[in-house]
Amino acid sequence: MRLIALGSSFAAGPGIEPQVDLDAGRSSNNYPNYFARRLNLDPTDPTQFLDLTVSGATLLNLISEPQQAGSTTFPPQLDSLPPLEPGNDGSDLIITVTGGGNDMFYIGSMFAYTLKHTLWGRLVSYFLMSKEERKAFEHPTMATAEQVSERFTILLDRIEEKYPQATVYLVEYFAMMGPDTKAGRDVVWDQEQIQRYSDTADLLQELYAKAAQGRKNVHVVPLAEETKQKHALGSKDPWVSDGSIWEFYTHGAYHPSQKGMLGASDILFDFHSKRCTDKRFQ
């Protein structure tokens, strides 16, 4: 068995120690690493586990566009997929994917709102951010739902072309907003803004379901609903970090915590185990 992880920061784990690639914002305690350990794979052996996730990646960065992050230019993640050996159809391969939110400026808009509507955020923006960075936050490039759907189609088509029988798990985004998230207490925005972010999260969930539709080897891992009800901001057991100045400083603001990554890997492993059991009894 071999595991390959593709995606952006909600898979990579910025702000979670240890960081094995600072430019990628990639932690060895992200959910793909935890999942690899649950599968009894060696996370340090690239022939068993390959983590290609990069914080800030869009689906285009997975498919065809290089990504500049820090001092590193990362090639499109699909370009780093290893070839199959002759006669191997990829049936022993698992690929996890978490992405699409950056295409829609989902978490980025939370950053921008916090920096604009807090005193410390305005100071950070003015003194520590470049003109180009401020411009990117103020005038982001945002894909439509239709464009994100098209990108998912291209991504999955390319994966299936390279690995015809590989199992692909589309691991949904952790929910940031939930029924216990309160305006002014857990976030700096109002209740109307909370609803906007909840609507975006729901849309991403729909796009994941649509992407998997009709593909027998592609499965959606239901992380969004469980985290929305039990582990969002304001809950008794949050799996995500808030937008405090400390979390911004450690690059973990509005992202999964280490506890969240471990919880997500448990959900993924249980989903995978049940699938394998059901498949054996079919």
Side-chain angles (χ1 to χ4, degrees), residues 12-74:
I16 299 173
E17 295 296 335
Q19 289 285 297
V20 293
D21 189 324
L22 284 173
D23 285 346
R26 186 188 303 146
S27 171
S28 60
N29 282 326
N30 59 22
Y31 83 72
N33 270 268
Y34 280 127
F35 183 47
R37 293 169 211 165
R38 293 293 299 273
L39 294 173
N40 295 318
L41 301 176
D42 181 355
T44 65
D45 182 354
T47 66
Q48 297 185 45
F49 172 61
L50 184 60
D51 190 350
L52 299 173
T53 59
V54 180
S55 295
T58 66
L59 292 175
L60 293 177
N61 296 133
L62 271 65
I63 298 166
S64 59
E65 293 186 1
Q67 180 185 354
Q68 184 67 40
S71 59
T72 305
T73 300
F74 293 93

Side-chain angles (χ1 to χ4, degrees), residues 115-133:
L115 292 173
K116 185 176 181 179
H117 291 84
T118 62
L119 176 59
W120 64 263
R122 290 193 290 271
L123 292 173
V124 167
S125 298
Y126 186 80
F127 289 107
L128 300 180
M129 293 177 66
S130 67
K131 185 178 180 180
E132 291 73 22
E133 288 173 326

Side-chain angles (χ1 to χ4, degrees), residues 110-111 114 120 176-177 185-189 232-234 238-257:
M110 296 183 190
F111 292 163
T114 302
W120 64 263
M176 297 299 303
M177 308 291 115
R185 184 193 69 182
D186 306 308
V187 291
V188 298
W189 43 81
L233 288 175
W239 283 3
V240 290
S241 301
D242 62 19
S244 65
I245 188 171
W246 173 252
E247 294 294 349
F248 267 85
Y249 176 74
T250 60
H251 305 288
Y254 303 126
H255 273 80
S257 63

Side-chain angles (χ1 to χ4, degrees), residues 141-161:
T141 300
M142 295 176 62
T144 64
E146 290 74 21
Q147 289 171 319
V148 173
S149 184
E150 290 170 4
R151 294 171 189 180
F152 266 124
T153 297
I154 294 170
L155 174 67
L156 294 173
D157 282 349
R158 298 273 179 85
I159 291 173
E160 288 179 352
E161 286 170 10

